[in-house]
Amino acid sequence: MEMNHEMHNSGAAEHVHDKHAGHHTGDFKKKFIISLFLTVPLVILSSTIQGIFGYQLNFPGTEYVQLLLATALYFYCGLPFLKGAIAEIRDRAVGMMTLISVAITVAYFYSAATVFGFPGMDFFWELGTLISIMLLGHWLEMRSIMGASKALEALAELLPKKATKLVDGQQVEVAMNDIHPNDLLLVRANEKIPTDGVITEGNTHIDESMLTGESRPVKRGIGERVIGGSINGSGTVTVQVSGVGSDSYLQTVIDIVQKAQSAKSRTQNLADRAAKWLTYISLATGLITLIAWLALGQDLAFAIMMMVGVMVIACPHALGLAIPLVASNSISRVAANGVLIRNRTAFENSGKISAVVFDKTGTLTIGNFTVVNVQSFSDKYSNEQIIQYAVALEQFSEHPIATAIVAYGKQQAISLLPVTNFAALTAKGVQGTIDSYTVALLSPQAATAAGLKLPAGSATTARTTILLIVEQQLAGQIELADEIRPESKAAVTELQKQGIKVYMATGDNDTVAKSVSDELGLDGYFAELQPQQKLDVVHQLMQCGEYVAMVGDGVNDAPALAEASVGVAIGSGTEVANEAADIILINNNPQDVAKMIQWGKLTKRKMMQNLAWATVYNVVAIPIAAGILYPFILPPAVGAAIMSLSTIIVAINAQLLLRQIK
């Protein structure tokens, strides 16, 4: 497999119409309630229903009351379907909205014509029940899915609302709009960097992990660049602005995400694909029915009545519930198991995944520095004493490494030793007096520069190593790393057992990436990537024929999450990643990716079963409604009974899914 990015071994997207665009869950709920209220009297006043239950309820103007109720139903409650049909036809993506619109339009106008004297029987009650059930289905569908993506807004939220600008040596708080290139900004400890720039005064460590994927806080000093949205460490710095607006790093990421989201192919879901063909069948069969009966010598009124019957029956109530009921049950059950579905189509298609690309920092790893090894080099000191000395010195420092060591000491219930003569050694480490001994914590480079000979293998390059020096003698070392999640190995193994290739794409350096890849047994990895390059990796895998899931948690993952066939975000990650993804893992467990794929397969299988049941109704009812058994004509009451039975069957089958997802 050839790619622009080196992999280390151990086409134009189709636009598809969103049928729910412009609507809210509450819209469908409100219209469903109103539709139900209007349909009940239509059903009671229907001559067909009266004949079935053996009662009579007629009064002068009955038909006009029915027409009035049906008119409100069609033009108000049916409006979402009519608008959706127009959009589907405009986008050349005929689906469920078009099928429903054809059925209700034919039923309404034909029935209205019968009120004013056109020969035939009305379909008012069928119109009401069809609109009500379809509104219920779409309400269930929308309720089960989270709101539309807000990835771009979430990206913008990474920047602070205000910044401290230096004007003639004075500190002035200004809005972001008042920042211009070459302005000087004061960034205090633990504040967000307002925008891209270059440090002109001070030095610090900056956490860029959410933006670049680099797990270690990066040391930055005078003359070095900083990225807007990253988090300043313990030092106060002055930054000269170099990039604002469209020239900033964060805006570049926003542009990439926007481009990926607009181009990403959203395959029509199963119900829409079935509805597309039923629409064509409805129109074709209706036209053929009209022509055939006219050719056989029947009058126009009879031929039109038969045509209308076919086109109304072609839109079965069961189809409106077959998929939404399964989706609602599935999405609510997997949510209870820690998986939130934002894009139902992506979840339905998750069974097709052939390659999973994991981010490293915060996804396969925990995302924070952790002490992973303590080693004594002298019989004089135990491992516990090594960490005890280290904690005693680091308690005075705010450096991220110091924070990790102190946190580890608390976990191990290490007692604090008194320290005197504490001193921070710039760019080298820390030093102090403990138990009358001069004790220092130095980087391997600083220890070598001080003339100390390091034991072989003492500074593992895939980890951050700190050396403990007592009275100028090497006493031991502490190794820190971004610890691999305990579940990551099992997650990789489970996916590979399913025949799925597992890769890692990270902004971290090659040495760290290789170490993680080797430990987890990945099929390959990509290191030192920028956000655009992560997106390129996903895109190139897809061009090679893979159905790709991207799993990540950071801002730098957002473009790739938006581009992938299925984007999966770790719930503890950034809001940007969550909003760009199709699916969110609440429990931050990579093993849930394998479970998600299995649940997606179960859900799609159940949907196919329900579509089959819904289709049976059409296969039987449409030819009979067209008059293939003439002189026997399918009575509306029989058609209603078949329709109801089909709806009950798919509803029961949808409930069975709840037992399968555990």
Side-chain angles (χ1 to χ4, degrees):
M1 179 166 51
E2 295 182 0
M3 295 191 171
N4 295 335
H5 299 286
E6 180 183 0
M7 186 184 81
H8 308 262
N9 288 311
S10 15
E14 176 190 358
H15 172 69
V16 177
H17 171 70
D18 177 8
K19 63 177 177 281
H20 291 149
H23 296 293
H24 302 286
T25 306
D27 293 338
F28 281 107
K29 180 181 179 181
K30 181 174 71 174
K31 282 184 167 61
F32 165 66
I33 294 171
I34 294 172
S35 175
L36 197 60
F37 178 77
L38 295 173
T39 298
V40 169
L42 273 180
V43 171
I44 294 173
L45 292 174
S46 168
S47 58
T48 301
I49 299 299
Q50 291 182 36
I52 293 173
F53 292 97
Y55 70 91
Q56 284 190 344
L57 181 59
N58 293 302
F59 51 84
T62 301
E63 65 275 17
Y64 294 106
V65 172
Q66 289 178 292
L67 177 60
L68 182 63
L69 294 171
T71 300
L73 272 165
Y74 178 76
F75 286 103
Y76 179 72
C77 299
L79 189 60
F81 305 120
L82 300 174
K83 286 183 175 179
I86 292 171
E88 284 182 349
I89 293 169
R90 184 185 62 233
D91 294 340
R92 298 178 182 178
V94 172
M96 180 66 78
M97 295 300 202
T98 307
L99 177 61
I100 298 170
S101 295
V102 168
I104 65 175
T105 298
V106 169
Y108 172 73
F109 285 104
Y110 175 79
S111 300
T114 65
V115 171
F116 294 105
F118 190 84
M121 58 179 297
D122 67 76
F123 290 88
F124 283 137
W125 79 274
E126 287 92 338
L127 170 71
T129 55
L130 183 57
I131 290 177
S132 296
I133 287 181
M134 293 304 174
L135 285 171
L136 173 62
H138 283 73
W139 172 41
L140 289 173
E141 184 177 3
M142 289 191 70
R143 189 184 65 173
S144 64
I145 301 173
M146 297 173 67
S149 173
K150 299 178 182 177
L152 304 183
E153 293 89 337
L155 278 166
E157 287 298 317
L158 284 176
L159 292 176
K161 297 292 185 290
K162 296 182 179 180
T164 302
K165 185 175 177 180
L166 296 177
V167 181
D168 297 328
Q170 301 297 312
Q171 298 179 17
V172 181
E173 192 176 75
V174 297
M176 293 296 293
N177 292 338
D178 294 327
I179 297 175
H180 307 285
N182 298 319
D183 283 351
L184 294 178
L185 305 178
L186 183 70
V187 184
R188 300 181 180 86
N190 301 317
E191 288 184 345
K192 286 184 178 179
I193 306 292
T195 187
D196 295 3
V198 177
I199 295 177
T200 60
E201 186 177 339
N203 59 78
T204 187
H205 284 78
I206 296 178
D207 181 359
E208 299 177 350
S209 60
M210 286 193 296
L211 297 168
T212 67
E214 173 66 50
S215 58
R216 306 174 185 180
V218 182
K219 188 178 186 303
R220 293 284 187 257
I222 295 174
E224 294 186 290
R225 297 184 61 82
V226 294
I227 301 173
S230 56
I231 301 173
N232 186 23
S234 58
T236 298
V237 293
T238 300
V239 175
Q240 185 175 33
V241 176
S242 63
V244 293
S246 60
D247 296 326
S248 68
Y249 174 92
L250 200 56
Q251 184 60 48
T252 301
V253 176
I254 290 174
D255 292 340
I256 294 170
V257 172
Q258 190 172 38
K259 183 178 178 181
Q261 285 186 332
S262 63
K264 185 174 182 180
S265 174
R266 298 291 191 186
T267 306
Q268 285 179 298
N269 63 41
L270 289 171
D272 276 334
R273 294 204 297 273
K276 178 177 72 173
W277 289 107
L278 280 173
T279 301
Y280 296 150
I281 292 170
S282 170
L283 294 172
T285 309
L287 183 60
I288 292 170
T289 300
L290 176 68
I291 294 172
W293 283 115
L294 289 174
L296 290 171
Q298 292 288 344
D299 59 32
L300 181 63
F302 179 85
I304 290 177
M305 182 185 73
M306 298 298 287
M307 178 191 72
V308 171
V310 166
M311 298 179 74
V312 172
I313 285 174
C315 184
H317 295 53
L319 185 62
L321 288 178
I323 300 304
L325 277 177
V326 174
S328 180
N329 286 345
S330 174
I331 291 171
S332 60
R333 179 52 61 94
V334 300
N337 283 277
V339 178
L340 291 182
I341 309 300
R342 303 186 70 251
N343 182 325
R344 201 192 80 199
T345 302
F347 179 55
E348 288 174 17
N349 292 329
S350 60
K352 298 193 293 187
I353 292 170
S354 60
V356 176
V357 180
F358 282 98
D359 169 50
K360 180 186 74 69
T361 307
T363 303
L364 290 174
T365 64
I366 293 174
N368 295 316
F369 263 128
T370 306
V371 173
V372 294
N373 185 43
V374 179
Q375 183 179 359
S376 173
F377 295 143
S378 170
D379 294 336
K380 295 181 181 179
Y381 307 103
S382 65
N383 287 351
E384 183 177 347
Q385 287 175 300
I386 297 296
I387 197 67
Q388 191 174 31
Y389 281 163
V391 170
L393 288 174
E394 296 288 29
Q395 65 179 309
F396 300 106
S397 174
E398 295 182 354
H399 190 283
I401 289 176
T403 302
I405 290 175
V406 172
Y408 179 79
K410 289 181 179 178
Q411 291 176 359
Q412 303 299 314
I414 297 295
S415 57
L416 285 176
L417 297 174
V419 179
T420 56
N421 303 320
F422 175 82
L425 308 176
T426 305
K428 295 180 181 179
V430 292
Q431 180 179 294
T433 302
I434 303 175
D435 293 336
S436 301
Y437 297 118
T438 300
V439 181
L441 278 174
L442 303 178
S443 67
Q445 296 83 353
T448 301
L452 295 172
K453 184 177 180 181
L454 308 186
S458 62
T460 306
T461 54
R463 297 174 174 177
T464 298
T465 303
I466 304 298
L467 300 171
L468 182 73
I469 317 297
V470 181
E471 293 294 328
Q472 302 300 313
Q473 297 295 316
L474 190 62
Q477 73 176 15
I478 299 171
E479 291 180 305
L480 301 96
D482 184 6
E483 187 178 6
I484 293 176
R485 290 184 185 273
E487 309 90 356
S488 293
K489 178 64 177 176
V492 172
T493 302
E494 288 171 20
L495 289 168
Q496 290 173 335
K497 282 181 180 178
Q498 295 182 34
I500 297 171
K501 304 180 189 73
V502 184
Y503 303 104
M504 180 176 69
T506 178
D508 223 335
N509 67 69
D510 185 82
T511 303
V512 173
K514 184 178 187 307
S515 173
V516 173
S517 178
D518 290 345
E519 185 169 344
L520 295 179
L522 303 180
D523 293 291
Y525 70 91
F526 308 86
E528 302 176 14
L529 302 179
Q530 294 295 316
Q532 175 65 55
Q533 293 172 314
K534 281 195 175 186
L535 182 148
D536 291 343
V537 166
V538 169
H539 184 65
Q540 290 166 30
L541 281 169
M542 292 168 70
Q543 285 187 322
C544 292
E546 304 289 356
Y547 200 86
V548 180
M550 174 69 197
V551 186
D553 74 324
V555 173
N556 61 321
D557 300 316
L561 288 169
E563 172 73 13
S565 306
V566 182
V568 183
I570 296 292
S572 63
T574 64
E575 183 181 354
V576 175
N578 290 347
E579 292 293 347
D582 302 305
I583 297 168
I584 301 172
L585 307 182
I586 303 173
N587 298 327
N588 313 319
N589 186 348
Q591 284 181 280
D592 285 344
V593 176
K595 292 180 182 178
M596 174 206 79
I597 293 172
Q598 288 298 322
W599 293 336
K601 289 179 180 178
L602 286 171
T603 300
K604 188 165 187 176
R605 187 181 308 143
K606 190 62 68 176
M607 287 177 173
M608 294 298 292
Q609 292 171 0
N610 270 5
L611 281 176
W613 278 114
T615 304
V616 166
Y617 168 83
N618 291 82
V619 171
V620 173
I622 289 178
I624 298 176
I628 197 171
L629 299 180
Y630 186 82
F632 171 78
I633 297 176
L634 182 69
V638 176
I642 297 174
M643 188 183 294
S644 299
L645 178 62
S646 180
T647 304
I648 292 169
I649 289 173
V650 299
I652 293 173
N653 194 41
Q655 293 301 114
L656 295 177
L657 182 66
L658 297 175
R659 298 182 180 181
Q660 296 177 283
I661 297 178
K662 300 176 180 179

